[in-house]
Amino acid sequence: MKYFARKVGFFVLTLWAVVTLNFFIPRMQPGDPAEIMVQQLAGKNAQLNVAQVQAMRDMLGAPTGSLWSQYLAYLNQLLHGNFGVSYNYFPFSVTEVIGRAFWWTVVLVTVVQVLSFAIGILLGIFAAWKRNGRFDTAVTVSSTFIGTLQPFWIALLLIYGLGYTLGWFPTSGGYEQSTPGWNGAFLYDAFSHAFLPALTLLIVTPIGWILGMRNTMIMNLNEDYIRLARAKGLPDKTVAVRYAARNAMLPSVTGFAMALGAVLGGTILVETVFDYPGLGRLMGEAVGIKDYPLLQALMLLTAVATLVANLVADLLYGVLDPRARRAAA
């Protein structure tokens, strides 16, 4: 019980720190969102009008007063679920803007993370069991090479090859010719638009799982309980799956939970390259225009989701591995 209480206490303390940093970090950036928006409306070389800038601040509901008073007001808004109005998508609220992009990112990145985890774990197990063989060499070398490539570069290659050259898939957007809804035409349209972003992520995301699982399992294969299992004459498949892989997967549980938590952050570069209507593209836009309410909400959403996923993983780790509870005690 002490193990679980300590984890919950750390979660609450970390959550408060995240909320506080989420308030101060955007305000430490140089520039004024109202000035940026007035400059865009007036023209790049036009002289700013002070009255127009102040009117823009009033219209956007920009916070006033000392940082301390703004911080208290910010905490009060969070308690009431009020994230303010988006500067870039005025007059829509931040909640409405995030709601439109939420499911695009959640469906895309969650499916990719689950597939990447399954593919990476299976390849890592087989590579470790057949270590120093041809399969292990091929998997390790190819994973190391692909790991050096940037996702946006792979995205550009897929756009050129499968999009422009062959014309098999759309190169931008989330849907085009169908009406959003649970109908076959829209689902097919959304799937075809999501295929290239998903393929880009599927090329790079399994690498960490492959190498991590392989290395952890190789260490476990040298443990005494593996030698005992082999000495008892158990089949190789049983030793690999029920003994070595089962224990080697414990660190991956935490990593997978944190990866799922980070889903809400989206993939900024990939979504921007494909102009995919997800949370990652929203975050990129919010940083560029200094849309503080939207940026704060996205950062907070990502951080809280990651913290909750990490807490669940820690609690699950304590259930799966009694050694963690004994070590904490």
Side-chain angles (χ1 to χ4, degrees), residues 43 56 74 87 165 174 189 213 250 256-257 271 295 304 308 316 324:
M56 182 64 72
Y74 173 68
Y87 296 168
T165 303
D189 198 8
M213 187 64 188
L250 287 175
F256 182 61
E271 290 186 13
L295 181 60
V304 171
V308 171
L316 184 61

Side-chain angles (χ1 to χ4, degrees), residues 105 108-109 150-153 155 197 200-201 262-288 294-295 298-299 302:
T105 290
L108 171 67
V109 186
Q150 294 295 326
F152 74 88
W153 187 75
T200 301
L201 296 174
V263 161
L264 297 183
T267 51
I268 297 177
L269 292 177
V270 173
E271 290 186 13
T272 301
V273 169
F274 289 100
D275 195 27
Y276 193 76
L279 297 175
R281 193 189 70 173
L282 276 184
M283 185 173 290
E285 293 177 352
V287 171
L294 181 58
L295 181 60
L298 289 171
M299 292 173 60
T302 304

Side-chain angles (χ1 to χ4, degrees), residues 63-86:
T64 57
S66 64
L67 275 179
W68 175 248
S69 63
Q70 293 181 32
Y71 177 65
L72 294 179
Y74 173 68
L75 293 180
N76 183 58
Q77 289 178 341
L78 288 184
L79 292 176
H80 292 84
N82 179 18
F83 295 98
V85 177
S86 171

Side-chain angles (χ1 to χ4, degrees), residues 36 97 115-116 120 156 196 222 238 248 274 287-288:
I36 295 175
V97 174
L115 289 177
S116 298
L156 293 176
L196 290 183
N222 296 322
T238 302
F274 289 100
V287 171

Side-chain angles (χ1 to χ4, degrees), residues 8-29:
V8 173
F10 283 148
F11 168 78
V12 174
L13 182 62
T14 307
L15 180 60
W16 170 79
V18 165
V19 170
T20 302
L21 291 175
N22 188 51
F23 170 80
F24 284 103
I25 288 178
R27 285 164 174 76
M28 295 171 63
Q29 299 180 12

